[in-house]
Amino acid sequence: MTPRAFVPGHVTGFFSVHPDDDPVVAGSRGAGLALSDGVTVTADPVASADQRAVELNGETVEMPAVTGVLNRLDAHARVVADTDLPLSAGFGVSGACALGTALSLDAATAGGHTERELVAIAHASEVEAGTGLGDVVGQARGGLPVRLEPGAPPHGYLDGLPARPAVEYVTFGGLDTAAVIGGDTETLSRAGEEALATLRETPTVETFMRAARRFSREASLQTDEVRTAIEAVEAAGGEAAMAMLGQTVFALDDGLSRAGYDARSCRVTDGAALVGE
Amino acid sequence: MTPRAFVPGHVTGFFSVHPDDDPVVAGSRGAGLALSDGVTVTADPVASADQRAVELNGETVEMPAVTGVLNRLDAHARVVADTDLPLSAGFGVSGACALGTALSLDAATAGGHTERELVAIAHASEVEAGTGLGDVVGQARGGLPVRLEPGAPPHGYLDGLPARPAVEYVTFGGLDTAAVIGGDTETLSRAGEEALATLRETPTVETFMRAARRFSREASLQTDEVRTAIEAVEAAGGEAAMAMLGQTVFALDDGLSRAGYDARSCRVTDGAALVGE
């Protein structure tokens, strides 16, 4: 049997952009949540480049972050990924596919890489693909990851909040990650650095949610539907914020249901790992 | 309800001792396994020092590592820990109680510490108590933790092997951790550093098991029963090694059962965390 990896979904609440010519060094500071709704990935080695394929929920797709992992591991594989998460909506599905491919393929080929090496390979591939800056390291750590220094091991540095709350989410559509993180990110990054400073001062889930809400306002990323949902949850006494980068609202506990939304529920969970055979 | 923490058991295969006056900096290099057999801990805040108590499997015990955590968090609590793991046999139960107390008590008191801060508090308390040097950081990380630099955050540095094998273990009795790590550790530490260098060259589970076997021979820690069991597993085609520090043998997959031992089985698992309410 091909070794299988499970990678949690990852929602970023706020972030700042830290470019670098080296994609292992480049990344983001910020904070987010690793979700028990995630992506299951297998990477079956195949003989040649023209047998390579990436399948997401049964459909053949182009996924440059996964291709990058195959290239860095100097391997050909048929990658099969399955997820219930909404796509292109701020859940880090491409990062999950990249990290899951690295974990599964290394196990299938007895590649002999360490966890940090595989995280660095997946992070660099994701950064080069332009599809994410911090999901992979957050997904590897799990919990409520706080990205104190950007980049992958050994450059990045993470801490985490110890809480493991229940989470609900609802999605109104996608946002173009590449357009946002490839555009003018000065205002966004300043707001992200302020949010991180606030969280470091009082590292609690409540501070995180408040800082994330303020960030999405200051970075002018909220759409009307997102703003309405966040306000509805607050009006019902809950805590909600926007997922970076998607038209997605997440809330603690049953905050969205109580505000009348048809939301999916999951939990904050552990980091990515191979699933026991 | 009092927040509950689950901390995996942790078996060290080999290690070297790195003393320091600062217990956050002191620790060990080495490698081990985080086990799905672990310790569940709740820490209920109480009003005063004379109401403090530590209960392990229903019995009141003295546990200096836990007392150290309460002192560092400047709190009084009734700590209740439950485990199926053998005690004083190399599974890191005291480290688990210290880390579980830190996680549970911080949550119960809305203490606002980060994960790394709580790990550092538990590690320092365990080192001061003389009951362990590397269990806490391994238990916090989970998986197959490789301790590249000794000490707790921000001093220590860990990597991990991505494998998640099934594990069996059998225990013939305890070893006095304080006597071994407090005694002459020169030979032991030299063997431990060699084992780590070997593992870093080829970071696989097989290398880990081989390096751990060699370490326990070179450090002259194997008792007769331990040696016999390791040899029996090897004779049956399996992989086994000795747990530091206990008269405990662990094996991959069903290695001990196949060699005729009445062994307990579990899995390599994720790091310590609060259990969802």
Side-chain angles (χ1 to χ4, degrees), chain A residues 172-223:
Chain A
F172 307 108
L175 278 182
D176 187 344
T177 300
V180 175
I181 68 181
D184 174 13
T185 56
E186 204 185 305
T187 308
L188 179 155
S189 285
R190 203 170 40 234
E193 292 282 9
E194 271 168 35
L196 183 58
T198 304
L199 183 62
R200 294 189 76 164
E201 222 163 273
T202 317
T204 66
V205 178
E206 292 65 37
T207 310
F208 165 72
M209 296 298 289
R210 232 178 3 248
R213 270 201 301 277
R214 184 169 170 175
F215 170 82
S216 62
R217 274 199 310 269
E218 289 181 354
S220 306
L221 290 165
Q222 293 184 0
T223 60

Side-chain angles (χ1 to χ4, degrees), chain A residues 81-143:
Chain A
D82 286 288
T83 184
D84 289 330
L85 288 169
L87 306 180
S88 306
F91 292 95
V93 171
S94 62
C97 289
L99 182 54
T101 298
L103 286 165
S104 171
L105 189 57
D106 181 74
T109 58
H113 292 85
T114 68
E115 288 183 334
R116 286 194 187 266
E117 287 167 355
L118 295 172
V119 171
I121 284 167
H123 171 85
S125 304
E126 167 92 326
V127 167
E128 277 184 346
T131 44
L133 291 171
D135 286 325
V136 169
V137 296
Q139 286 163 328
R141 181 177 175 94

Side-chain angles (χ1 to χ4, degrees), chain B residues 181-273:
Chain B
I181 68 180
D184 175 13
T185 56
E186 204 184 307
T187 307
L188 179 155
S189 285
R190 203 169 42 234
E193 291 282 9
E194 272 170 32
L196 183 58
T198 304
L199 182 62
R200 293 189 76 163
E201 222 163 274
T202 317
T204 66
V205 178
E206 293 66 36
T207 310
F208 166 71
M209 296 299 290
R210 233 179 1 251
R213 271 201 300 276
R214 184 170 171 175
F215 170 82
S216 61
R217 274 198 310 270
E218 289 181 354
S220 306
L221 290 166
Q222 293 184 0
T223 60
D224 287 344
E225 280 170 310
V226 164
R227 188 177 310 112
T228 303
I230 291 175
E231 288 173 0
V233 172
E234 286 194 271
E239 291 270 8
M242 178 183 174
M244 301 297 133
L245 286 159
Q247 296 183 51
T248 295
V249 173
F250 61 95
L252 298 181
D253 304 319
D254 57 350
L256 279 159
S257 302
R258 273 195 288 134
Y261 282 86
D262 183 16
R264 290 210 215 157
S265 69
C266 60
R267 298 204 62 83
V268 168
T269 193
D270 296 315

